[in-house]
Amino acid sequence: MSFKNVSILAIDDNEKFLNACARFLNHEGFKAVSTMNNGIDGVGAVAKDKPDVVLLDLNMPEFSGFDVLEDLRSRTLDPKVI
């Protein structure tokens, strides 16, 4: 299976996790991996880049993963969220 055309955005407030996640996904063959360290910037990245998959931390300060989901739905953006 080829992952060349799958774009992934990871949103988490833990920088160490984001770095490890990106390294792991790149090692596994995913080529388009980006990260955001807060929900507000994450929503902007989803709107701009339209990734295929979003890896989302639900427990983030100020703008939680639930807030991200609500905002994406209000904008009718529907990436696959894990």
Side-chain angles (χ1 to χ4, degrees):
M1 174 181 249
S2 174
F3 300 112
K4 291 180 182 177
N5 296 324
V6 176
S7 60
I8 299 174
L9 171 64
I11 305 171
D12 197 308
D13 59 324
N14 183 322
E15 287 287 334
K16 287 182 181 181
F17 173 78
L18 286 176
N19 291 334
C21 183
R23 280 193 314 270
F24 173 78
L25 291 169
N26 284 320
H27 181 267
E28 291 299 311
F30 292 92
K31 300 300 181 199
V33 179
S34 57
T35 62
M36 288 290 154
N37 64 2
N38 67 70
I40 294 171
D41 290 342
V43 168
V46 171
K48 179 180 173 243
D49 300 331
K50 297 180 179 38
D52 298 309
V53 176
V54 176
L55 303 177
L56 179 60
D57 178 14
L58 295 178
N59 187 18
M60 294 184 287
E62 298 179 27
F63 204 74
S64 74
F66 294 107
D67 296 325
V68 170
L69 287 171
E70 185 177 320
D71 194 301
L72 293 177
R73 287 183 181 140
S74 74
R75 297 172 189 239
T76 63
L77 297 170
D78 192 27
K80 305 301 182 238
V81 177
I82 300 172

